[in-house]
Amino acid sequence: MTPQLTVSDEVRALAPGFSHLAVEAHGLVNGPSNQDSSALLDDAARRLATRLGGRAPHEDPHLAAWREAYTAFGAKPSRTRNSAEALARRALADGGLPRINVLVDLYNAVSVAHLIPVGGEDTDRIKGGMRLVRATGEEPFATMAGGEEAVEHPEAGEVVWRDDEGVTCRRWNWRQGVRTRLTEASVNALFLLEAMGPTANGELGAAAAELAETLEKLSPGARITVHAPG
């Protein structure tokens, strides 16, 4: 069953230029990072460098719009960067992009190449619908601290993605929780692509198409559905 995605009126008022698009996939084959997923990350880093032409990632208009949205709900965008900016900075650094597992590498590559925040959730671990809301500050957020499982809580007013059990991603797309993240055992996934401002809508569709195409190549036989933007 496809998890229902909703955006609260409070978030719409905060960032009227926000849009999102979901790519749903069933019957995926995941595993440790390999040559194919590593090559995708290397290619994405090259595409990013060409796109920026020597500029810093936050100077890109789309990432600048994300910084404005983060500031609007009280976050400091230079300290808690949106996921696309954080990955872009790592892609341009000497250490390069991290290798996590095939599916995470894939969506990270799409994020970097298009400068679009992309997240992946294991749909078998999502409880109920997914909602983008401003937090009360009491919602549980499952994470890791010092190598052990821990529970944190978002700040009141923070923009978060959550399901019926708690927060799945803090500060919009800054930090994903461990409960619903994609592991090597994941076979069903929901990939969430996010954009800010009208100029990014075309990029959103192009990124989704590339993600779906690559998923089909790396997981032959998987059932892929690209949903309409919301």
Side-chain angles (χ1 to χ4, degrees), residues 26-52:
H26 296 273
L28 296 168
V29 178
N30 200 10
S33 300
N34 56 31
Q35 287 185 333
D36 290 337
S37 68
S38 185
L40 289 172
L41 291 169
D42 289 339
D43 179 63
R46 288 190 291 268
R47 290 163 65 185
L48 172 69
T50 299
R51 173 178 180 146
L52 291 176

Side-chain angles (χ1 to χ4, degrees), residues 90-102:
R90 294 193 69 170
L92 298 174
D94 291 339
L97 289 163
R99 272 59 174 166
I100 309 298
N101 60 54
V102 170

Side-chain angles (χ1 to χ4, degrees), residues 13-24:
L14 179 77
F18 172 71
S19 59
H20 66 279
L21 188 157
V23 177
E24 186 180 0

Side-chain angles (χ1 to χ4, degrees), residues 4 19 122-123 127 151 164 171:
Q4 184 178 7
S19 59
D122 188 322
T123 51
K127 307 299 182 183
V151 175
D164 290 350
R171 293 178 187 164

Side-chain angles (χ1 to χ4, degrees), residues 48-64 88 92 115:
L48 172 69
T50 299
R51 173 178 180 146
L52 291 176
R55 294 176 299 156
H58 69 267
E59 294 178 281
D60 179 88
H62 185 227
L63 296 189
L92 298 174
L115 283 183

Side-chain angles (χ1 to χ4, degrees), residues 32-213:
S33 300
N34 56 31
Q35 287 185 333
D36 290 337
S37 68
S38 185
L40 289 172
L41 291 169
D42 289 339
D43 179 63
R46 288 190 291 268
R47 290 163 65 185
L48 172 69
T50 299
R51 173 178 180 146
L52 291 176
R55 294 176 299 156
H58 69 267
E59 294 178 281
D60 179 88
H62 185 227
L63 296 189
W66 272 106
R67 283 196 165 210
E68 291 179 5
Y70 268 50
T71 300
F73 71 82
K76 296 181 179 180
S78 294
R79 292 181 58 189
T80 54
R81 297 178 175 88
N82 73 82
S83 63
E85 182 179 339
L87 279 173
R89 287 170 59 89
R90 294 193 69 170
L92 298 174
D94 291 339
L97 289 163
R99 272 59 174 166
I100 309 298
N101 60 54
V102 170
L103 291 179
V104 175
D105 292 352
L106 191 165
Y107 77 70
N108 280 347
V110 170
S111 176
V112 167
H114 292 271
L115 283 183
I116 292 281
V118 183
E121 307 285 352
D122 188 322
T123 51
D124 295 326
R125 295 177 177 272
I126 295 172
K127 307 299 182 183
M130 297 277 292
R131 308 184 293 281
L132 187 66
V133 301
R134 300 198 72 172
T136 65
E138 298 179 358
E139 302 90 342
F141 175 70
T143 186
M144 300 292 291
E148 297 183 357
E149 293 185 4
V151 175
E152 297 178 355
H153 299 276
E155 298 174 2
E158 182 180 321
V159 175
V160 300
W161 279 102
R162 65 158 301 165
D163 64 3
D164 290 350
E165 191 167 313
V167 173
T168 57
C169 195
R170 286 195 58 187
R171 293 178 187 164
W172 220 311
N173 48 49
W174 164 68
R175 185 179 174 194
Q176 186 181 29
V178 299
R179 175 170 56 87
T180 59
R181 67 184 175 182
L182 294 176
T183 69
E184 293 179 15
S186 299
V187 294
N188 302 311
L190 186 73
F191 299 92
L192 184 62
L193 296 77
E194 300 177 290
M196 194 67 67
T199 60
N201 286 341
E203 197 79 62
L204 194 67
E210 181 174 335
L211 177 62
E213 180 181 355

